[in-house]
C-alpha cells in the first residue's frame, strides 16, 4: 500500500523555483506537475493514475492510500492542454478521472485527510464497500459537480416517498443494468427518500424531489362566504371599540371598510 502526504511531497520535492513547488517530477512525455500560489498546474502530456493521486495529495496535503501494483494496471490519461486548478477544482478533477477508470476515493479518516482508493469492479475487491460517506442534501447541493460517492436522505412533506422511489427507479432502469456508482433510491416510510450514488448525479435528483414535493402541496382553499362575514363582523367590532374609546364630544369616526 502506497501513501503520499503534503509533508512527504515537500520533503522530497525536486525543485522550488519562483514560488513553484514540484509535486510530481517530469518524465519523457510531459513537464513536472507544479503547485504554485495560484493552484495546481497539470501540464499537457501523459499521466498515470498514480501521478494524479500523488499530485493532488501533495497539493491538498492529504494521504491517498492505494495498491501500486493494482493502480499501475489501470489505464492513464493524456491531457492535450495544461490545466490550472484551485483546491476545489483539483479535487473535482481527480474524482472525475478516478470515476472514469472505475475507481473511487473513500474516507478512512476524513478529518485527518486520509482516503483509500477502491475499485468499484466486484472482481477487483474481496469485501463490499461499506465506508461510503454520508452527506446532507445541503452539503451535496453546495458542491454539485464533485463526483464523490455518497449516501443521503431527503424528507418530503407532501409527496409520497414510496411513489417517488418507484418513479426514480424507472428512470434509473433506462440507463441499463445496474453497476457500482449508478444511483439508487429507496424509501423509509412515506416521508423519507434515501439516495445513493455520485454527488453530481444526486444533486439534480434532490432538486427534482424538492420541486415535486412543492407541487404536491395542497392548494390554499379560496375564502368562503362565511369567512367574509366573519371578517366583516370583526371589522365592525373594532369600529365599535374605537367609538367607545373616543373622548366625549369627539367628532372622530372610524374609517369605513
Amino acid at each position: 500500500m502506497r501513501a503520499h502526504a503534503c509533508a512527504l511531497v515537500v520533503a522530497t520535492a525536486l525543485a522550488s523555483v519562483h514560488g513553484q513547488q514540484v509535486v510530481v517530477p517530469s518524465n519523457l512525455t510531459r513537464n513536472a506537475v507544479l503547485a504554485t500560489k495560484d493552484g495546481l498546474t497539470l501540464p499537457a502530456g501523459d499521466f498515470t493514475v498514480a501521478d494524479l493521486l500523488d499530485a493532488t495529495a501533495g497539493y491538498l496535503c492529504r494521504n491517498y492510500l492505494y495498491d501500486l501494483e493494482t493502480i499501475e494496471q489501470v489505464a492513464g490519461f493524456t491531457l492535450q492542454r495544461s490545466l490550472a486548478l484551485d483546491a476545489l477544482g483539483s479535487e473535482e478533477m481527480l474524482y472525475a478521472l478516478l470515476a472514469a477508470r472505475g475507481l473511487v476515493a473513500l474516507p478512512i479518516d476524513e478529518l485527518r485527510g486520509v482516503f483509500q482508493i477502491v475499485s468499484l469492479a466486484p472482481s477487483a475487491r474481496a469485501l463490499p464497500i461499506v465506508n461510503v460517506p454520508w452527506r446532507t442534501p445541503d452539503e451535496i447541493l453546495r458542491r454539485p459537480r464533485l463526483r464523490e460517492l455518497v449516501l443521503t436522505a431527503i424528507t418530503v412533506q407532501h409527496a409520497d416517498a414510496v411513489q417517488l422511489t418507484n418513479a426514480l427507479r424507472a428512470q434509473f432502469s433506462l440507463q441499463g443494468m445496474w453497476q457500482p456508482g449508478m444511483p439508487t433510491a429507496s424509501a423509509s416510510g412515506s416521508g423519507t427518500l434515501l439516495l445513493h450514488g455520485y454527488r453530481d448525479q444526486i444533486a439534480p435528483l434532490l432538486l427534482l424531489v424538492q420541486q415535486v414535493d412543492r407541487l404536491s402541496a395542497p392548494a390554499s382553499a379560496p375564502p368562503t362566504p362565511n369567512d367574509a362575514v366573519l371578517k366583516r363582523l370583526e371589522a365592525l367590532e373594532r369600529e365599535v371599540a374605537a367609538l367607545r374609546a373616543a373622548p366625549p364630544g369627539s367628532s372622530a369616526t372610524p374609517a369605513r371598510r
Side-chain angles (χ1 to χ4, degrees), residues 87-172:
L88 296 181
S90 63
E91 184 182 42
E92 290 171 359
M93 180 59 63
L94 174 65
Y95 279 43
L97 293 176
L98 288 176
R101 295 295 184 261
L103 301 171
V104 64
L106 296 176
I108 294 178
D109 189 333
E110 192 167 8
L111 291 178
R112 294 180 174 86
V114 181
F115 297 80
Q116 182 177 11
I117 306 304
V118 176
S119 173
L120 294 181
S123 59
R125 50 188 166 82
L127 298 174
I129 298 175
V130 295
N131 52 332
V132 175
W134 178 270
R135 306 295 187 216
T136 67
D138 287 342
E139 288 174 326
I140 291 173
L141 293 174
R142 280 197 293 268
R143 295 192 63 188
R145 293 189 297 272
L146 180 61
R147 202 159 179 77
E148 176 191 37
L149 200 62
V150 297
L151 286 166
T152 192
I154 182 170
T155 301
V156 291
Q157 302 294 329
H158 310 290
D160 187 283
V162 175
Q163 294 179 353
L164 281 171
T165 295
N166 293 334
L168 290 175
R169 287 175 176 172
Q171 292 296 316
F172 299 158

Side-chain angles (χ1 to χ4, degrees), residues 99 104 120 125 129 147-150 175 178-184 196-202:
V104 64
L120 294 181
R125 50 188 166 82
I129 298 175
R147 202 159 179 77
E148 176 191 37
L149 200 62
V150 297
Q175 302 180 29
W178 184 88
Q179 54 186 338
M182 289 180 60
T184 62
H196 167 268
Y198 287 115
R199 208 193 261 231
D200 60 342
Q201 296 173 329
I202 298 300

Side-chain angles (χ1 to χ4, degrees), residues 171-212:
Q171 292 296 316
F172 299 158
S173 66
L174 299 178
Q175 302 180 29
M177 183 179 298
W178 184 88
Q179 54 186 338
M182 289 180 60
T184 62
S186 58
S188 178
S190 61
T192 302
L193 192 67
L194 304 175
L195 298 171
H196 167 268
Y198 287 115
R199 208 193 261 231
D200 60 342
Q201 296 173 329
I202 298 300
L205 295 180
L206 291 173
L207 295 176
L208 174 64
V209 171
Q210 291 173 349
Q211 179 67 11
V212 170

Side-chain angles (χ1 to χ4, degrees), residues 67-79:
D67 182 74
L68 184 57
E69 291 184 3
T70 301
I71 291 297
E72 285 179 338
Q73 297 175 14
V74 179
F77 302 91
T78 299
L79 296 181

Side-chain angles (χ1 to χ4, degrees), residues 226-247:
N226 287 338
D227 292 335
V229 172
L230 288 174
K231 289 182 178 179
R232 183 57 185 155
L233 288 175
E234 291 173 354
L236 289 174
E237 289 176 353
R238 289 194 295 270
E239 291 177 8
V240 171
L243 288 171
R244 289 176 177 174

